Amino acid sequence: SVYLFQYGAYKNENIMKDNCKDLSSYFYYKNDNMYHVLIGISSNKENLDKIKKAYNINSDIYVKKEEIKNNEFIESLKQYDNLIKSSDDSATIINAEKQVLAKYESLVLNSEQIAY
């Protein structure tokens, strides 16, 4: 199981981009006519607080639990989770999540190995 940390979901792409302009990094994908904005993914739900702090987010973040069967992604995620857990540096945490989100897109979304 992994946790997707969703900043928001929007019906309109321009509104989504406008609402996310203060984020230094984010990832979005379209599903069911909604644009879902992710700021992070972790196998450790406790990392959410560190990720929110790195992005300077004070609002609630929607946490969605997903089962992912892609072993390459899971192994990579564990390494980034350890880095995030051991760091308090915002740039390090955000850069780690940029890598996680890129791997999520290439290894999970593009290969459609998500189990619902």
Side-chain angles (χ1 to χ4, degrees), residues 53-100:
K53 185 177 178 186
Y55 281 97
N56 198 25
I57 296 173
N58 296 317
S59 58
D60 288 338
I61 297 295
Y62 175 69
V63 178
K64 181 179 176 184
K65 190 174 180 180
E66 261 191 18
E67 297 296 322
I68 295 180
K69 295 182 178 184
N70 186 304
N71 289 331
E72 184 180 350
F73 175 76
I74 297 298
E75 287 305 313
S76 180
L77 181 62
K78 286 179 186 177
Q79 292 175 11
Y80 285 113
D81 278 346
N82 288 334
L83 175 64
I84 291 168
K85 187 176 178 181
S86 65
S87 178
D88 288 319
D89 179 61
S90 293
T92 299
I93 293 168
I94 290 171
N95 284 331
E97 281 303 328
K98 280 182 186 178
Q99 296 300 314
V100 168

Side-chain angles (χ1 to χ4, degrees), residues 40 44 106:
N44 182 348
S106 66

